[in-house]
Amino acid sequence: MANISVVVPVYKVEQFLHRCVDSILCQSYEAFDLILVDDGSPDNCGKICEEYAEKDSRVHVIHQKNGGLSAARNTGIAWSIANSDSRWIAFVDSDDWVHPCFLEKLYSAAEKTLCRVSVCGLFRTSGNPLPEDPEEEPVAMSAEDYYCSQLHEGLTAVAWNKLYHKSLFKTLRYPIGKLHEDEFTTYQALYKAETVAVITARLYAYYQNPEGIMRSEWSPRRMDMLQAFEEQIAFAQKNGSPRLLSKTAEQYIYAVCDQLRKAGVIYHKELRNRLRYGLKLGRSTGCFPWGKNSVWAYELAYPVKPFWWVFNRVAWKK
């Protein structure tokens, strides 16, 4: 009987799929089911998935029309809730791979600490094998302490180096059609769980795919990240989380500035308005105070300088 469901969205990863699936099937913890969601992949991925299902009864394949990463993850979640007795769920991206003890150590960490989420370290790689990190005991942290920390290179929002109690996804789903889908979703699961079991061992290989979507040219869809941060800001304000508010406000300012430098002129007015909102929020939270070190952001936000901006610039020179 499966205790963990592992969901792998599959799309145009024919050259990487064997590496990913093989790393999951050779786990030291064997009580899992593997849900391969073929998201309308135009290559041989669907066929490869079926070949794995024929060889291993733990593998379940779902074929669907292309809907994107969020849609594929949601399909996997729905299948697990409807068809599996598993209590836990994990996500692995199909161009990544995992350490043989990935599931065992995450499950053990959650059980030892009685947390509903456990997380491990990650290893950025272009193909090198995972390092062997020393054994360690898991540390239980509050969701806010973990999410707002710089652990794991600040990638605390990613979905895939974590094990979640399936109850956290009773109603929670990934936003269809959005980039940066993890930024919309992960914080909700973590704050609902309240505590997180953390191990720093690097058990997840995060492949730096040179053809990945996040390395492609800028498009308006990149602004989905701003919406995700705006939703996090609203969540922090509603739930009285000043640390989350400060962290997200600062991320929002830098993200808008980055978009302004890359986006077409037709988006500049909208982005400047968002930046002005972010700067106001940054001043109020103290995470991005008005001063000489922040002038560059105000230059982007106010191409036509308001009186108060000119007055302060003059005051600095005295």
Side-chain angles (χ1 to χ4, degrees), residues 249-277:
E250 184 174 9
Q251 286 182 309
Y252 183 74
I253 291 168
Y254 282 107
V256 179
C257 289
D258 184 59
Q259 300 286 333
L260 260 171
R261 294 187 180 104
K262 297 175 180 177
V265 175
I266 61 172
Y267 299 101
H268 283 190
K269 182 178 179 180
E270 175 190 349
L271 287 167
R272 286 195 183 103
N273 287 334
R274 282 174 139 167
L275 181 54
R276 292 166 186 172
Y277 162 72

Side-chain angles (χ1 to χ4, degrees), residues 134-259:
E135 294 288 332
E136 62 170 38
E137 288 297 310
V139 176
M141 302 175 65
S142 71
E144 186 155 88
D145 282 348
Y146 169 74
Y147 192 73
C148 296
S149 73
Q150 287 302 311
L151 285 170
H152 310 149
E153 304 177 59
L155 294 176
T156 54
V158 295
W160 31 253
N161 65 332
K162 300 172 175 68
L163 180 67
Y164 308 84
H165 197 275
K166 209 159 70 175
S167 63
L168 299 172
F169 284 90
K170 185 175 182 180
T171 58
L172 183 62
R173 294 293 185 273
Y174 290 91
I176 303 295
K178 298 290 186 182
L179 289 184
H180 309 285
E181 67 290 329
D182 296 350
E183 293 285 0
F184 285 90
T185 310
T186 302
Y187 74 95
Q188 296 187 59
L190 296 179
Y191 277 80
K192 189 174 181 180
E194 297 183 348
T195 56
V196 180
V198 179
I199 52 177
T200 58
R202 292 167 291 179
L203 306 176
Y204 191 98
Y206 174 34
Y207 179 62
Q208 306 292 277
N209 189 344
E211 298 180 0
I213 189 169
M214 298 315 299
R215 298 195 176 197
S216 60
E217 292 185 5
W218 186 91
S219 76
R221 291 185 66 203
R222 294 293 183 91
M223 292 193 291
D224 289 348
M225 175 181 282
L226 306 183
Q227 181 187 344
F229 285 150
E230 288 163 358
E231 291 185 9
Q232 286 188 40
I233 287 167
F235 176 90
Q237 291 171 329
K238 179 180 178 180
N239 291 278
S241 302
R243 189 175 174 191
L244 176 62
L245 180 60
S246 179
K247 168 189 180 283
T248 309
E250 184 174 9
Q251 286 182 309
Y252 183 74
I253 291 168
Y254 282 107
V256 179
C257 289
D258 184 59
Q259 300 286 333

Side-chain angles (χ1 to χ4, degrees), residues 56-125:
D56 196 315
S57 61
R58 296 174 298 178
V59 179
H60 306 274
V61 181
I62 303 170
H63 301 281
Q64 64 181 32
K65 292 182 179 179
N66 179 247
L69 179 57
S70 289
R73 283 185 184 161
N74 291 344
T75 295
I77 294 168
W79 186 96
S80 178
I81 291 174
N83 300 284
S84 176
D85 293 327
S86 62
R87 297 168 52 242
W88 300 86
I89 192 164
F91 304 99
V92 178
D93 283 357
S94 51
D95 53 355
D96 298 336
W97 68 98
V98 293
H99 189 280
C101 295
F102 174 70
L103 293 179
E104 178 187 354
K105 291 189 176 182
L106 285 179
Y107 178 64
S108 175
E111 289 288 292
K112 285 181 179 180
T113 59
L114 302 180
C115 293
R116 290 197 291 167
V117 176
S118 60
V119 305
C120 67
L122 57 93
F123 178 59
R124 291 178 183 265
T125 177

